[in-house]
Amino acid sequence: GQNIDQPTEMTATEGAIVQINCTYQTSGFNGLFWYQQHAGEAPTFLSYNVLDGLEEKGRFSSFLSRSKGYSYLLLKELQMKDSASYLCAVRGDDYKLSFGAGTTVTVRA
Amino acid sequence: IAGITQAPTSQILAAGRRMTLRCTQDMRHNAMYWYRQDLGLGLRLIHYSNTAGTTGKGEVPDGYSVSRANTDDFPLTLASAVPSQTSVYFCASSDGLAGYNEQFFGPGTRLTVL
């Protein structure tokens, strides 16, 4: 089976940095995705990692360590609009995505 | 506007009734998926289709069926709805299965079974 763990909730102040960790134990590995989901809306793609290291896209960065089964999503210069759920998803050897339960980030003024 | 549409947006259904959730994409993606999202459980795969004419079972397929007659449409049918099928249902599609092929999600259908 697939096991993907991420914290349930995090709170941070506008302008600050927040790091959302994701650990996984899956049947095979063919990439890790991060999605953002605002309340009542569909998930939208943020980042993709398949090799170890850091991928940077503007204020958002994602890191992967395959040997440790670990990833994090880093959100810098937090804005109020970043308040949302962040979903970690791993693509296994069957090429299907398994999702974590999501981390709800609340940005306070 | 390219993307995925789902219908209905929301539905309240009596237990035992049959219901079909519709999903249409205009991106000519080969693969399509149906997920349910429940509080605290995240997104769980119900059924998928890697290409038109083929379907497969996901993590939680019981009580659901799908068909993929063409590239664009991927309906999900609940043959006899039960209260445990109360959930938000998302349809998704991707151009391919591997590499940098992220899944695009539809707006969701909120289903309540009473």
Side-chain angles (χ1 to χ4, degrees), chain A residues 30 33 35 37 40-49 55 57 87 91 94-102, chain B residues 33 35 37 40-45 48 50 59 90 96-108 110:
Chain A
N30 281 293
F33 295 79
Y35 283 82
Q37 185 177 25
E41 298 183 5
T44 56
F45 169 77
L46 283 179
S47 69
Y48 169 68
N49 295 72
E55 294 281 342
K57 290 176 69 174
L87 315 179
R91 184 162 59 197
D94 59 356
Y95 292 94
K96 303 297 175 290
L97 288 184
S98 294
F99 285 83
Chain B
Y33 313 86
Y35 294 91
Q37 187 173 38
L41 294 178
L43 286 157
R44 292 180 292 168
L45 183 65
Y48 65 92
N50 288 341
E59 179 185 355
F90 287 101
L97 302 180
Y100 206 111
N101 281 306
E102 77 268 28
Q103 292 185 13
F104 294 83
F105 286 81
R110 184 174 296 275

Side-chain angles (χ1 to χ4, degrees), chain B residues 2 46 80 103:
Chain B
I46 305 171
S80 179
Q103 292 185 13

Side-chain angles (χ1 to χ4, degrees), chain B residues 13-17 36 38 64 78 80-87 89 111-114:
Chain B
L13 189 66
R17 297 296 296 268
R36 59 179 291 173
D38 302 290
Y64 306 95
L78 289 68
S80 179
V82 295
S84 62
Q85 292 177 310
T86 294
S87 187
Y89 291 85
L111 182 67
T112 302
V113 182
L114 301 176

Side-chain angles (χ1 to χ4, degrees), chain A residues 1-103:
Chain A
Q2 320 288 51
N3 188 28
I4 300 169
D5 290 318
Q6 48 182 130
T8 303
E9 296 180 331
M10 301 183 75
T11 300
T13 306
E14 196 173 15
I17 298 173
V18 68
Q19 177 174 315
I20 306 169
N21 296 323
C22 172
T23 58
Y24 62 89
Q25 292 176 305
T26 58
S27 301
F29 180 84
N30 281 293
L32 186 144
F33 295 79
W34 284 96
Y35 283 82
Q36 181 189 59
Q37 185 177 25
H38 286 100
E41 298 183 5
T44 56
F45 169 77
L46 283 179
S47 69
Y48 169 68
N49 295 72
V50 67
L51 299 176
D52 291 352
L54 188 68
E55 294 281 342
E56 297 187 84
K57 290 176 69 174
R59 296 188 297 113
F60 293 0
S61 303
S62 57
F63 171 83
L64 175 67
S65 169
R66 289 171 296 171
S67 63
K68 295 182 179 179
Y70 168 70
S71 173
Y72 68 72
L73 180 69
L74 194 68
L75 286 62
K76 294 176 281 189
E77 300 170 17
L78 279 173
Q79 302 176 10
M80 299 300 289
K81 66 179 182 179
D82 297 330
S83 291
S85 286
Y86 292 85
L87 315 179
C88 174
V90 175
R91 184 162 59 197
D93 55 9
D94 59 356
Y95 292 94
K96 303 297 175 290
L97 288 184
S98 294
F99 285 83
T103 300

